[in-house]
Amino acid sequence: MTYFPHTPQEIKEMLNTIGLESIEDLFSEIPEEIRQKAKENFKIPASPSEIDLLEEIKNIARKNIGKDYISFLGGGAYKHYIPPFVKLVSLFPTFYTAYTPYQPEISQGVLQSIFEYQSLICDLTGMEVANASLYEAGSGIAEAALMSVRITGKKEVIASSGLNPEYISVLKTYLQAQNIELKIIPLDEKGETDVDFLEKNISPKTSGVIIQNPNFFGVIETKLKDIEELIHKNNALFILSIYPISLGILKPPSEYNVDIVVGEGQSLGIPLGFGGPYLGILATKKEFIRQIPGRIVGETIDLEGERGFVNTLQTREQHIRRAKATSNICTNEALSAISAAVYMAILGKKGIKKIAEVCFSRAHYLRERMQKEVNLEITYPNSHFFNEFVIKIPENSENFLKKLEEKKILGGIPLSRFYKDRDKEILVAVTERNSLEELEYYIKSLKEVLKKN
Amino acid sequence: MTYFPHTPQEIKEMLNTIGLESIEDLFSEIPEEIRQKAKENFKIPASPSEIDLLEEIKNIARKNIGKDYISFLGGGAYKHYIPPFVKLVSLFPTFYTAYTPYQPEISQGVLQSIFEYQSLICDLTGMEVANASLYEAGSGIAEAALMSVRITGKKEVIASSGLNPEYISVLKTYLQAQNIELKIIPLDEKGETDVDFLEKNISPKTSGVIIQNPNFFGVIETKLKDIEELIHKNNALFILSIYPISLGILKPPSEYNVDIVVGEGQSLGIPLGFGGPYLGILATKKEFIRQIPGRIVGETIDLEGERGFVNTLQTREQHIRRAKATSNICTNEALSAISAAVYMAILGKKGIKKIAEVCFSRAHYLRERMQKEVNLEITYPNSHFFNEFVIKIPENSENFLKKLEEKKILGGIPLSRFYKDRDKEILVAVTERNSLEELEYYIKSLKEVLKKN
Amino acid sequence: KKIPLIKELNNDEKPTIHLPEPLEDFLPEKILPKDLLRESLPIPQISEIEVVRHFTNLSHMGYGVDLGFYPLGSCTMKYNPKINEEIANNEYFTDLHPYTPEELSQGALEIIYKLGEALSKITGMDKFTFQPSAGAHGELTALLIIKAYLRNKGENRNIVLVPDSAHGTNPASASMAGFETIEIPSDERGLVNPNILGKYLNKNVAVLMLTNPNTLGLFEKDILKIAQMVHDEGALLYYDGANLNGIMGYARPGDMGFDAVHVNLHKTFSTPHGGGGPGAGPVGVKDFLKDYLPVPTVEYDGNKYYLNYQVPKTIGRVRTFYGNFLVMLKAYAYIRLLGDEGLKKTTEMAVLNANYLKEKLKAYFELPYPSICKHEFVLSGKNLKEKGIKVLDIAKRLLDYGVHPPTIYFPLIVEEALMIEPTETETKYTLDEFVEIIRNILKEVDENPDIVKNAPHNTPVKRLNEVYAAKVLKVNWK
Amino acid sequence: KKIPLIKELNNDEKPTIHLPEPLEDFLPEKILPKDLLRESLPIPQISEIEVVRHFTNLSHMGYGVDLGFYPLGSCTMKYNPKINEEIANNEYFTDLHPYTPEELSQGALEIIYKLGEALSKITGMDKFTFQPSAGAHGELTALLIIKAYLRNKGENRNIVLVPDSAHGTNPASASMAGFETIEIPSDERGLVNPNILGKYLNKNVAVLMLTNPNTLGLFEKDILKIAQMVHDEGALLYYDGANLNGIMGYARPGDMGFDAVHVNLHKTFSTPHGGGGPGAGPVGVKDFLKDYLPVPTVEYDGNKYYLNYQVPKTIGRVRTFYGNFLVMLKAYAYIRLLGDEGLKKTTEMAVLNANYLKEKLKAYFELPYPSICKHEFVLSGKNLKEKGIKVLDIAKRLLDYGVHPPTIYFPLIVEEALMIEPTETETKYTLDEFVEIIRNILKEVDENPDIVKNAPHNTPVKRLNEVYAAKVLKVNWK
């Protein structure tokens, strides 16, 4: 079984046209030794039918029982409401079964949608230009760091340890490959990037500084103005990693004079999907446009002067510039970018702001109840946060979370997953999909679990 | 909250254009008394949000726990495999958000699809013409009976009691309205329509005779030739209700010289959906085309002589012929018909035959195991059947089925649901979605339940 | 781009999809006598990719509410919310067999029951049946209920009155229910006039069928008087719910004196029309008629929902199972999302849009009934006749501008009728654009009439010959 | 039909969708200092129906495999089975958070693990990582693994060799991995010639990157010899899996001597390309490299699947989480449905289609490398130059005939290249039709060259000015 549509008669005719006798003849130049090994070792059982396959995979899917739990997991991927039309668009045949729009005249649907994605990202971040997408935030941050190296001609990147630890890990991998130095700045007692420490470590050798806001611990960085001054005084670039939904209420990066905005776009209408595909956002100032990695869609005119859209500045890209390209990226996450565009369009400014407010208010409500009613200690109690915060519990966090799992709650991410020494802290995220009943149930369950201890 | 897109400013401008001051003014001619009552009694709470609504209805949906049971329910609605593309087509915007194609030039997609549906139904049944769909089989059979009355000018319809009891019930309702007599013919000991009885009851006054094949008890009617001769000798019409999938292997109605074929099209790619929307199939001989109820799509040419499709013979229909129309049907089941067309196209002759063979062979295998291993008595043991058969159990069928339900099996339909006196019989249906493992589990469970008795 | 018929791609040797194999020992040819088996199946065989391309390309040769303005009068082509599609695609609904035991299908029964409650609130009726699959089916059902009621009272009334502006389904349904239809002429206001009605009312009249607002989009102001007259004569009053969206929240059929109603879920409650169906036409009745409803009804005993087959004087079934359940589900979601205020606002904006558009368009056509309309209005294009232009030409030319034309040649009482229903989901911008398009077309009528007479030009096919179709009657690919 | 930008429909007063309300007492403005808050959000506000129409109309201005032939060379635009979309839409996958505890996400981990096993069988490699999100990402990952391996051995080799026919991603990935790239000229057969290769091999060479079959669609016959030479020199051999579909079932990179490979799930394994992505580029390595794979890997202890962060010499992460999981899922379903025989047949029919089309088209263009090809082949349109026609014109004219053009101007070593990959899912009929279209266009070149030079004519926009775009650089709607 396969999806080929040929009849036996056609196969015969076609072989005849080619002048061969058998299908095997089409592979005759492959050394016999190689073919023999394939014959012996290439063994994969086929499913008996589509019906069986659907059943088989449905049974595998059901093992993901965590899906049915009340979830407070965040840490870079968030359970947000996806308006149904967003999902329908990703099933439009001309979107999902198209390749990269190399032939713009028959690809205006994809191209205009991506142009609108770029525009909406600029609206959201306040930046001047955005690209057509990168894989996700981690590699996106690495690309931004490399961009700062290309632009400044310097080879030292500084990152706040408020950055998602997975992003830091990716960054290390990418920078090490090109012998670029990476310095990590600690947080202060408020859970914000330690500006004093940054001041001591930044120098005219620094190419870029990466901050995340809200940072991995949910804390809103309040000294971005100071940080920006430090960075630009040293002729480095200010790279900020953002959580798009938070920009429904938080001051946009442009107002902090950020040079490159990066971020995970998953919250903009893209399913959790066990980690991917997601969407790497990258936006910057127009002056840096020629150093942007990946594709960019631009407006143009056709022979009759009508508006149309094309991939532009392709001379930066690998298929033309090869070893000198701004990045090796070719396949990106176009369909995710389209989803994000549809998401932002259908919510609009009011909707995005409201979602941000619901996340914010429910998270603050939950944290207050945890403090006041459950007497839980909060890790950065006096810091500002958006929809995520760290709680301290009196025992090993993994044990504690297991007890919550018995009540069908995924209570948060144990910080020990990333920081071996922080084994009694949990990162709790709240979104608009956590109903008030869920918050109530979480509080109730916390009380029960703590009582048992 | 509603789906209107107006801004307050626009509403003001529009009222201004109309020359009114308030929205209320638009309703001023409605008597105050009526408006007041509406104000007092029109109370429906709104859902707090889309998110809440989805959650609320998901919770209601989960109460349909029978969906997760292994099911042997049939009796006119069958759990068949629906190829995923069939479902995708029903979400194509130009199909599902269109009205009846009154403007054929911009509706060629729907019209050609329905023309192809009609053609595929003709291919499947062997008939010459089919309409664009009726609601479902029950009212379809009633329409066919009325058609026979119009064509023959006689007012007496005979139906086999092998006809689905719900169809008989619908038929009674429709015929009684027009004072048409309905006679019901019993089955013989093999579970087939009693031909002798028919012979005694049919007369030149009979307008039509309705047989179902396979009949409600799953039995294949083997004397259709004899029945046909009787019917036509009396200048009545032969109406046959079919199960489309069975025609993958069974002789088509045309070969029995059937005059009107009707049937439930649900098995052709339409979800069970708790009983609807389904698809009423109606096909007949070309000579009767002007008496067909409902819409018919025909091929034509455009101004330039190119092929195109339109609704045709509209002079039969209610919007033109009004009280003299062949039926009152207006809205039909176009989208279900398109699904059926896609279903038949994607399976093709080979696929439909194979599905029929899988249903047939698994049903026969199960029945044999029930007889040989479980020692169950079969109601019509020596009759031919397609994928459905009646078993006898030693106790009240509803009690018996409850015990199977405890094992997450819906073992079949208790005949007592329709025939009060047949309270120890169960109608069992097998389709290609009943895997061999399911059959095995059913046998095992039967043994356990019977042992307990 | 020409799209072939599936048949034209047929090749018997092409593969089908990956299906399970039958059990060799139980193949039909080993078990059934040969004369029961078919020799060949003439259905075409084409490959999966060809099927996908075929229907995908066909879908690009169409139009729908999701593509643009669709002001088809009396059809209520409003936006179909996508959330309802998502809800109706839940496997716990789509994969549920109608004979699933009640205790295992409580969710589905709950939806039906609660939709009935909501529709009762909306219409002012006491109890609903959901068997009717479409508006016309609802009409038939209601007429059968009324007939059974009258017969039960010993009355053999056999006349159904309808206004001359009525939907064609009204008289057609009356015929199917075994009644005769008599048409009442509308008065100069476009309304049923009690004085005229009086002449038609007598002891043979079983029922007066009205749609209110009527097909001219006008509210039957004298409805209370009409109801009184009908009831005084011992007849009943039936509400054709096709236009309920013009008054929802402001007036309830039950409060106007109607005894039975049908509601088109695919109109007022926004379930998609599917290129012709499925719809749903639930029927609501006042208490005194509820013993006549089709079986089964869905009931709630305070604990559990159940199917009730014990309706004492039931007319029986009008279809199998319980109705177009998945359509009900979408309508229920729509009602639940909007609530009373949202539904009322829906009506308000629909009526606002209609009156605004009427005001804007009356400069270009005749407006036979100039009063405030409800959700739709009717223009007459007879002023164009002298230029040799029919409203059909205008309609076809509209296709070139990418909008769906209004309903034409209905209602029958208006010459060269253009029946326009913008619905509440259209923006003012769209309405203004439509006016501009009409203005352009009328300019073309003066400057270049042939472009209008031979329209459409930009569609996948040119104007189609309907007469030819009815002559050759090629209704399948054989 | 012109489609406005969303921005052009903006009106701040328009409603958003029906969302929950925030808790009044915990509004940001009551809690956060003002200077952290934004004053306004310039994102446009338009209504739901407008958004739906906007994107639905845009979707009707495009092309995809589901609409027709898409012989874009090196891109493997085969049919994307719809069953895989259904599988990947299951909420138990789509709604699963990547940090869900392992015991509660066993299904997802199982899919990743089993896909790794299957790809190992297909490629002859020992272990896979799924972090790479695309082919180029896989190249980078593999190069970093190789680099780490060499550094661990104390070797500072810094040269990556690629043939001059290589994909542009190869040198670009080499740069990102901190290597220098040197191109090896192909020989007159279009292949890497061991004699030429010998001149480039030395102790600075870290790796030779090959795609086999290469971008000319030709199998590198001397691959065993090449592998020997590379390994003898202490360098490694890397397989760019973009063309795996040309040999799957007949040859495995592992058996040819490759040490590391990437596989494009969106090419060979038919996951849809999404208008540019997402794809997935898992990397497989031989045993001696597996300690360098990115963390975490997915493992199975005989009882339970788990994430392993303890990879001794790991290069670290190349992205967050575990890769494009939903893409993996589709690829897994594809492989499971087809099995070994189906996959092999896939290759056979792809190669048959390519050779058939090559045979038919060679009359019309130059065929620089006439030997049997694999899944694709390259023609040269330089014969048209004297007529003033570029292959770009041919490509644009093809759009008018409703098919997607081949890849043009690649590979760089062929002048006026047309790179054609029909894939196995195309019918002979489609191929014949394509030949006929080409024949027609070439006739037009002789008879009416302007129609070709100014093509396309039937598309939503006419030929677009790419130079102008790069000049004005209008990359958003501000």
Side-chain angles (χ1 to χ4, degrees), chain C residues 302-315:
Chain C
N303 183 30
K304 162 172 179 303
Y305 299 92
Y306 64 98
L307 295 166
N308 174 27
Y309 287 87
Q310 308 309 320
V311 178
K313 299 166 191 159
T314 178
I315 59 163

PDB file of all heavy atoms in Angstrom, chain C residues 302-315:
ATOM      1  N   GLY C 302     -36.249  15.214  36.227  1.00  0.00           N
ATOM      2  CA  GLY C 302     -35.609  15.845  37.374  1.00  0.00           C
ATOM      3  C   GLY C 302     -34.274  15.207  37.702  1.00  0.00           C
ATOM      4  O   GLY C 302     -33.488  15.717  38.505  1.00  0.00           O
ATOM      5  N   ASN C 303     -34.001  14.126  36.991  1.00  0.00           N
ATOM      6  CA  ASN C 303     -32.836  13.336  37.327  1.00  0.00           C
ATOM      7  C   ASN C 303     -32.142  12.868  36.060  1.00  0.00           C
ATOM      8  O   ASN C 303     -30.926  12.801  35.969  1.00  0.00           O
ATOM      9  CB  ASN C 303     -33.307  12.132  38.157  1.00  0.00           C
ATOM     10  CG  ASN C 303     -32.173  11.281  38.629  1.00  0.00           C
ATOM     11  OD1 ASN C 303     -31.077  11.796  38.854  1.00  0.00           O
ATOM     12  ND2 ASN C 303     -32.419   9.986  38.743  1.00  0.00           N
ATOM     13  N   LYS C 304     -32.948  12.603  35.072  1.00  0.00           N
ATOM     14  CA  LYS C 304     -32.451  11.919  33.899  1.00  0.00           C
ATOM     15  C   LYS C 304     -33.315  12.339  32.714  1.00  0.00           C
ATOM     16  O   LYS C 304     -34.511  12.564  32.850  1.00  0.00           O
ATOM     17  CB  LYS C 304     -32.573  10.414  34.186  1.00  0.00           C
ATOM     18  CG  LYS C 304     -32.535   9.451  33.031  1.00  0.00           C
ATOM     19  CD  LYS C 304     -32.484   8.015  33.563  1.00  0.00           C
ATOM     20  CE  LYS C 304     -32.466   6.975  32.452  1.00  0.00           C
ATOM     21  NZ  LYS C 304     -33.582   7.024  31.509  1.00  0.00           N
ATOM     22  N   TYR C 305     -32.649  12.481  31.562  1.00  0.00           N
ATOM     23  CA  TYR C 305     -33.385  12.778  30.336  1.00  0.00           C
ATOM     24  C   TYR C 305     -33.805  11.472  29.691  1.00  0.00           C
ATOM     25  O   TYR C 305     -33.076  10.481  29.766  1.00  0.00           O
ATOM     26  CB  TYR C 305     -32.491  13.583  29.377  1.00  0.00           C
ATOM     27  CG  TYR C 305     -32.069  14.897  29.978  1.00  0.00           C
ATOM     28  CD1 TYR C 305     -30.879  15.005  30.691  1.00  0.00           C
ATOM     29  CD2 TYR C 305     -32.872  16.030  29.864  1.00  0.00           C
ATOM     30  CE1 TYR C 305     -30.504  16.207  31.288  1.00  0.00           C
ATOM     31  CE2 TYR C 305     -32.503  17.236  30.445  1.00  0.00           C
ATOM     32  CZ  TYR C 305     -31.317  17.317  31.159  1.00  0.00           C
ATOM     33  OH  TYR C 305     -30.958  18.504  31.735  1.00  0.00           O
ATOM     34  N   TYR C 306     -34.970  11.469  29.074  1.00  0.00           N
ATOM     35  CA  TYR C 306     -35.412  10.222  28.448  1.00  0.00           C
ATOM     36  C   TYR C 306     -36.313  10.496  27.259  1.00  0.00           C
ATOM     37  O   TYR C 306     -36.846  11.589  27.080  1.00  0.00           O
ATOM     38  CB  TYR C 306     -36.124   9.328  29.474  1.00  0.00           C
ATOM     39  CG  TYR C 306     -37.405   9.901  30.025  1.00  0.00           C
ATOM     40  CD1 TYR C 306     -38.632   9.510  29.511  1.00  0.00           C
ATOM     41  CD2 TYR C 306     -37.378  10.831  31.064  1.00  0.00           C
ATOM     42  CE1 TYR C 306     -39.821  10.044  30.019  1.00  0.00           C
ATOM     43  CE2 TYR C 306     -38.553  11.366  31.568  1.00  0.00           C
ATOM     44  CZ  TYR C 306     -39.769  10.972  31.041  1.00  0.00           C
ATOM     45  OH  TYR C 306     -40.923  11.514  31.530  1.00  0.00           O
ATOM     46  N   LEU C 307     -36.459   9.470  26.447  1.00  0.00           N
ATOM     47  CA  LEU C 307     -37.315   9.543  25.275  1.00  0.00           C
ATOM     48  C   LEU C 307     -38.701   9.074  25.676  1.00  0.00           C
ATOM     49  O   LEU C 307     -38.849   7.996  26.244  1.00  0.00           O
ATOM     50  CB  LEU C 307     -36.762   8.647  24.166  1.00  0.00           C
ATOM     51  CG  LEU C 307     -35.403   9.080  23.604  1.00  0.00           C
ATOM     52  CD1 LEU C 307     -34.789   7.962  22.781  1.00  0.00           C
ATOM     53  CD2 LEU C 307     -35.555  10.339  22.763  1.00  0.00           C
ATOM     54  N   ASN C 308     -39.683   9.869  25.350  1.00  0.00           N
ATOM     55  CA  ASN C 308     -41.051   9.516  25.713  1.00  0.00           C
ATOM     56  C   ASN C 308     -41.830   9.116  24.467  1.00  0.00           C
ATOM     57  O   ASN C 308     -42.037   9.923  23.561  1.00  0.00           O
ATOM     58  CB  ASN C 308     -41.711  10.714  26.391  1.00  0.00           C
ATOM     59  CG  ASN C 308     -43.176  10.460  26.655  1.00  0.00           C
ATOM     60  OD1 ASN C 308     -43.594   9.311  26.801  1.00  0.00           O
ATOM     61  ND2 ASN C 308     -43.959  11.527  26.700  1.00  0.00           N
ATOM     62  N   TYR C 309     -42.209   7.838  24.439  1.00  0.00           N
ATOM     63  CA  TYR C 309     -42.988   7.349  23.308  1.00  0.00           C
ATOM     64  C   TYR C 309     -44.488   7.373  23.624  1.00  0.00           C
ATOM     65  O   TYR C 309     -45.291   7.014  22.789  1.00  0.00           O
ATOM     66  CB  TYR C 309     -42.541   5.932  22.937  1.00  0.00           C
ATOM     67  CG  TYR C 309     -41.182   5.899  22.249  1.00  0.00           C
ATOM     68  CD1 TYR C 309     -40.005   5.842  22.976  1.00  0.00           C
ATOM     69  CD2 TYR C 309     -41.104   5.941  20.858  1.00  0.00           C
ATOM     70  CE1 TYR C 309     -38.773   5.827  22.350  1.00  0.00           C
ATOM     71  CE2 TYR C 309     -39.871   5.926  20.220  1.00  0.00           C
ATOM     72  CZ  TYR C 309     -38.706   5.866  20.968  1.00  0.00           C
ATOM     73  OH  TYR C 309     -37.498   5.852  20.333  1.00  0.00           O
ATOM     74  N   GLN C 310     -44.823   7.779  24.851  1.00  0.00           N
ATOM     75  CA  GLN C 310     -46.232   7.727  25.282  1.00  0.00           C
ATOM     76  C   GLN C 310     -46.924   9.072  25.106  1.00  0.00           C
ATOM     77  O   GLN C 310     -47.347   9.694  26.072  1.00  0.00           O
ATOM     78  CB  GLN C 310     -46.296   7.295  26.755  1.00  0.00           C
ATOM     79  CG  GLN C 310     -45.528   6.030  27.079  1.00  0.00           C
ATOM     80  CD  GLN C 310     -45.868   4.880  26.156  1.00  0.00           C
ATOM     81  OE1 GLN C 310     -47.025   4.688  25.805  1.00  0.00           O
ATOM     82  NE2 GLN C 310     -44.869   4.113  25.724  1.00  0.00           N
ATOM     83  N   VAL C 311     -47.012   9.519  23.875  1.00  0.00           N
ATOM     84  CA  VAL C 311     -47.740  10.762  23.621  1.00  0.00           C
ATOM     85  C   VAL C 311     -49.134  10.350  23.161  1.00  0.00           C
ATOM     86  O   VAL C 311     -49.278   9.731  22.108  1.00  0.00           O
ATOM     87  CB  VAL C 311     -47.017  11.607  22.554  1.00  0.00           C
ATOM     88  CG1 VAL C 311     -47.796  12.882  22.259  1.00  0.00           C
ATOM     89  CG2 VAL C 311     -45.594  11.932  23.020  1.00  0.00           C
ATOM     90  N   PRO C 312     -50.165  10.687  23.953  1.00  0.00           N
ATOM     91  CA  PRO C 312     -51.463  10.026  23.780  1.00  0.00           C
ATOM     92  C   PRO C 312     -52.036  10.075  22.363  1.00  0.00           C
ATOM     93  O   PRO C 312     -52.463   9.069  21.828  1.00  0.00           O
ATOM     94  CB  PRO C 312     -52.367  10.763  24.767  1.00  0.00           C
ATOM     95  CG  PRO C 312     -51.533  11.746  25.501  1.00  0.00           C
ATOM     96  CD  PRO C 312     -50.131  11.622  25.074  1.00  0.00           C
ATOM     97  N   LYS C 313     -52.042  11.248  21.749  1.00  0.00           N
ATOM     98  CA  LYS C 313     -52.722  11.358  20.449  1.00  0.00           C
ATOM     99  C   LYS C 313     -51.729  11.649  19.341  1.00  0.00           C
ATOM    100  O   LYS C 313     -52.057  12.303  18.351  1.00  0.00           O
ATOM    101  CB  LYS C 313     -53.784  12.454  20.535  1.00  0.00           C
ATOM    102  CG  LYS C 313     -54.851  12.157  21.572  1.00  0.00           C
ATOM    103  CD  LYS C 313     -55.686  13.380  21.868  1.00  0.00           C
ATOM    104  CE  LYS C 313     -56.567  13.138  23.093  1.00  0.00           C
ATOM    105  NZ  LYS C 313     -57.000  14.406  23.708  1.00  0.00           N
ATOM    106  N   THR C 314     -50.516  11.209  19.534  1.00  0.00           N
ATOM    107  CA  THR C 314     -49.429  11.538  18.593  1.00  0.00           C
ATOM    108  C   THR C 314     -49.807  11.323  17.130  1.00  0.00           C
ATOM    109  O   THR C 314     -50.511  10.367  16.799  1.00  0.00           O
ATOM    110  CB  THR C 314     -48.170  10.707  18.923  1.00  0.00           C
ATOM    111  OG1 THR C 314     -47.161  11.023  17.953  1.00  0.00           O
ATOM    112  CG2 THR C 314     -48.447   9.212  18.883  1.00  0.00           C
ATOM    113  N   ILE C 315     -49.283  12.194  16.295  1.00  0.00           N
ATOM    114  CA  ILE C 315     -49.464  11.995  14.851  1.00  0.00           C
ATOM    115  C   ILE C 315     -48.529  10.902  14.338  1.00  0.00           C
ATOM    116  O   ILE C 315     -48.569  10.547  13.173  1.00  0.00           O
ATOM    117  CB  ILE C 315     -49.197  13.292  14.055  1.00  0.00           C
ATOM    118  CG1 ILE C 315     -47.757  13.791  14.297  1.00  0.00           C
ATOM    119  CG2 ILE C 315     -50.231  14.351  14.389  1.00  0.00           C
ATOM    120  CD1 ILE C 315     -47.273  14.795  13.274  1.00  0.00           C
TER     121      ILE C 315
END
